[in-house]
Amino acid sequence: RSYNVSVVEDIITRYDVDGIHFDDYFYPYPPDNMTASSANNALDDKAFASDSRGFTDKNDWRRDNVNIQMKAISDKIKALKPNVKFGISPFGIWKNGVPSGITGMDAYSAIYADPMAWLKQNTVDYLIPQLYWRIGGSQDYNKLMPWWADSTKKYNLHYYTGNIFGSFTAAELPNQLKANRNNGKTDGIVLFSAKHIPA
């Protein structure tokens, strides 16, 4: 944690940056995630036993580890340069079944990331959830996009959608852009990935 905070401190003190942005890599993704095997799940047994901070559920403790790290970085930025914004791109599904009808790998259970906690704790200035799915289906863009908008705007923070292009039909991205424009709580769009932009 201290090392990560020191890296961010170095960046914002030596360079005239407008913001610090984190991707969604907290605990490992499947197939190498912490609970992929009993051996993986045991990797942090010693740390949990020596510093459980009152938690009895290791999964809650892991989420708290991430929350502590994100808050420490946010506090350092605000202390040194309050004008520098701090944002994160969480995985696009917070929890299975949220909103209703959404199923798939989720940030909360798989990589122990809890963006709702970051919003409540005022840790971030904005979110850019990775909404890399089509309209319709069990990861429906038209359900996820407004749910994130409502969740973020509840705390008066900026919300941008993370959209992917290059792997869907030609109509998909324009339809997603129209959905964004029709939602007054959406502040913009961030496109992934740069490799799809012609040189």
Side-chain angles (χ1 to χ4, degrees), residues 39-180:
N40 283 13
N41 194 40
L43 288 174
D44 53 0
D45 277 350
K46 283 185 179 179
F48 180 53
S50 68
D51 184 24
S52 68
R53 297 187 305 279
F55 286 96
T56 55
D57 183 319
K58 197 196 312 187
N59 294 335
D60 290 336
W61 174 79
R62 287 169 174 165
R63 279 183 284 274
D64 193 55
N65 287 335
V66 175
N67 294 345
I68 290 170
Q69 175 71 99
M70 297 303 102
K71 187 77 166 69
I73 289 167
S74 176
D75 288 348
K76 179 60 73 173
I77 292 169
K78 287 171 182 167
L80 293 174
K81 286 189 179 177
N83 60 306
V84 172
K85 304 302 180 190
F86 179 46
I88 303 175
S89 285
F91 188 73
I93 299 174
W94 174 52
K95 282 185 180 179
N96 258 298
V98 180
S100 179
I102 296 297
T103 59
M105 192 195 94
D106 65 272
Y108 193 84
S109 302
I111 56 173
Y112 308 102
D114 187 3
M116 296 304 107
W118 310 333
L119 294 175
K120 289 175 188 172
Q121 296 168 359
N122 196 32
T123 298
V124 293
D125 297 300
Y126 65 88
L127 286 181
I128 307 176
Q130 298 175 4
L131 303 179
Y132 299 162
W133 297 284
R134 296 175 174 86
I135 294 170
S138 57
Q139 294 96 33
D140 187 354
Y141 183 86
N142 277 350
K143 287 184 178 180
L144 287 165
M145 182 272 289
W147 180 84
W148 282 102
D150 291 343
S151 300
T152 307
K153 288 303 177 180
K154 179 180 176 182
Y155 299 95
N156 293 317
L157 297 175
H158 283 223
Y159 162 65
Y160 310 92
T161 59
N163 299 63
I164 194 167
F165 64 105
S167 60
F168 296 143
T169 64
E172 184 66 33
L173 187 57
N175 287 337
Q176 292 183 2
L177 289 170
K178 286 175 192 170
N180 278 26

Side-chain angles (χ1 to χ4, degrees), residues 5-72:
V5 171
S6 72
V7 170
V8 170
E9 180 178 5
D10 183 56
I11 292 168
I12 66 173
T13 53
R14 289 205 294 150
Y15 303 99
D16 184 22
V17 297
D18 295 316
I20 297 290
H21 185 79
F22 275 39
D23 209 347
D24 64 325
Y25 292 93
F26 301 106
Y27 279 81
Y29 264 80
D32 301 318
N33 57 308
M34 299 300 284
T35 54
S37 68
S38 58
N40 283 13
N41 194 40
L43 288 174
D44 53 0
D45 277 350
K46 283 185 179 179
F48 180 53
S50 68
D51 184 24
S52 68
R53 297 187 305 279
F55 286 96
T56 55
D57 183 319
K58 197 196 312 187
N59 294 335
D60 290 336
W61 174 79
R62 287 169 174 165
R63 279 183 284 274
D64 193 55
N65 287 335
V66 175
N67 294 345
I68 290 170
Q69 175 71 99
M70 297 303 102
K71 187 77 166 69

